[in-house]
Structure formats: structure tokens, C-alpha cells
């Protein structure tokens, strides 16, 4: 016969195992999506010499239990918004924007909430 204390311990350990499995699966999926966004941003980035496109990196941010990734350009972070949205020229006029980061995010991250719900439903 199982005591109430032992039953409570078993329930707690089962819930912890479920939570750990779900957390690991969500983190893995977020990593995959972030890497896909980085790869597409690399591919669609404006290329004059190729150095700008090679600068995209994925960085983990946040605390334990929070899967947050940032896709950014390590080498030329100051010009991403200028290339993405366009900018004014020094002598007048404008340079047209070349969207490359936001379309990559929209393409890959749109399905992430549904993927997370599926992971939670399936238990990891």
C-alpha cells in the first residue's frame, strides 16, 4: 500500500519530469527557428562585399526557463535598420530600404506559437 506522502512525491516528480521535457523541447524549437531566421537573413541581406551578411549571429538572452533568442548583426549592428528601412542621403533624396531581417522573422517565427502549443499538448 502506498502512503499519501509517497503518492505526493511521485506526483511531484512526474510533473517535474513533464515540465523539464516540455521546457527542453520548447528551447530546442526556439533555437531551430532562430537559426532559420539567421540563415535567411544571411541569404537575403544586401551584398556588396559579403561582410555584412556574414555578421548575423544568434544570441541567447533571458533567464532560466525563458527561451529568448536575438538575431543580430555582430559586425555591423549600427546599420541594420538603415539597410532594412532605407535612409536619407547626405546630398538629398533617399536610399530605398532592402528588407531582409523582418521578412525572415515573419516567415519562420509565424508558426512558433502553434509549435509551442503542440509541444505542450504532446508533453515534450
Amino acid at each position: 500500500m502506498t502512503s499519501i506522502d509517497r503518492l505526493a512525491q511521485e506526483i511531484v516528480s512526474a510533473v517535474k519530469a513533464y515540465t523539464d521535457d516540455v521546457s527542453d523541447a520548447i528551447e530546442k524549437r526556439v533555437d531551430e527557428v532562430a537559426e532559420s531566421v539567421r540563415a535567411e537573413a544571411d541569404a537575403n541581406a544586401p551584398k556588396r562585399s559579403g561582410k555584412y551578411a556574414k555578421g548575423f549571429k544568434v544570441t541567447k538572452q533571458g533567464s532560466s526557463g525563458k527561451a529568448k533568442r536575438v538575431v543580430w548583426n555582430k559586425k555591423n549592428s549600427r546599420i541594420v535598420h538603415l539597410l532594412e528601412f532605407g535612409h536619407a542621403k547626405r546630398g538629398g533624396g533617399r536610399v530605398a530600404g532592402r528588407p531582409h531581417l523582418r521578412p525572415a522573422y515573419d516567415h519562420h517565427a509565424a508558426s512558433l506559437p502553434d509549435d509551442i502549443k503542440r509541444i505542450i499538448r504532446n508533453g515534450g
Side-chain angles (χ1 to χ4, degrees):
M1 184 162 190
T2 306
S3 70
I4 299 296
D5 292 337
R6 180 75 180 141
L7 179 62
Q9 288 174 350
E10 289 297 321
I11 291 172
V12 167
S13 67
V15 169
K16 181 168 177 16
Y18 169 81
T19 304
D20 291 343
D21 290 346
V22 168
S23 178
D24 291 344
I26 289 172
E27 190 160 335
K28 181 180 176 192
R29 181 65 187 138
V30 169
D31 285 338
E32 291 169 357
V33 169
E35 185 56 35
S36 298
V37 170
R38 187 208 55 78
E40 188 171 323
D42 274 357
N44 296 334
K47 291 175 183 61
R48 190 178 289 174
S49 67
K51 290 180 184 178
Y52 172 74
K54 293 177 186 174
F56 284 102
K57 305 292 178 208
V58 176
T59 302
K60 292 183 180 184
Q61 285 188 346
S63 59
S64 176
K66 296 189 180 195
K68 181 179 178 182
R69 305 297 179 266
V70 177
V71 179
W72 63 296
N73 195 303
K74 187 173 183 176
K75 296 178 182 177
N76 297 298
S77 61
R78 295 181 186 135
I79 66 169
V80 174
H81 70 285
L82 297 174
L83 293 173
E84 184 84 13
F85 301 112
H87 57 90
K89 290 187 201 178
R90 188 176 359 186
R94 288 199 58 82
V95 173
R98 301 265 320 266
H100 53 284
L101 189 56
R102 187 58 174 195
Y105 172 81
D106 291 341
H107 180 247
H108 293 284
S111 65
L112 190 58
D114 294 333
D115 293 344
I116 290 173
K117 287 177 188 174
R118 181 184 45 77
I119 289 168
I120 291 170
R121 248 182 290 151
N122 295 339

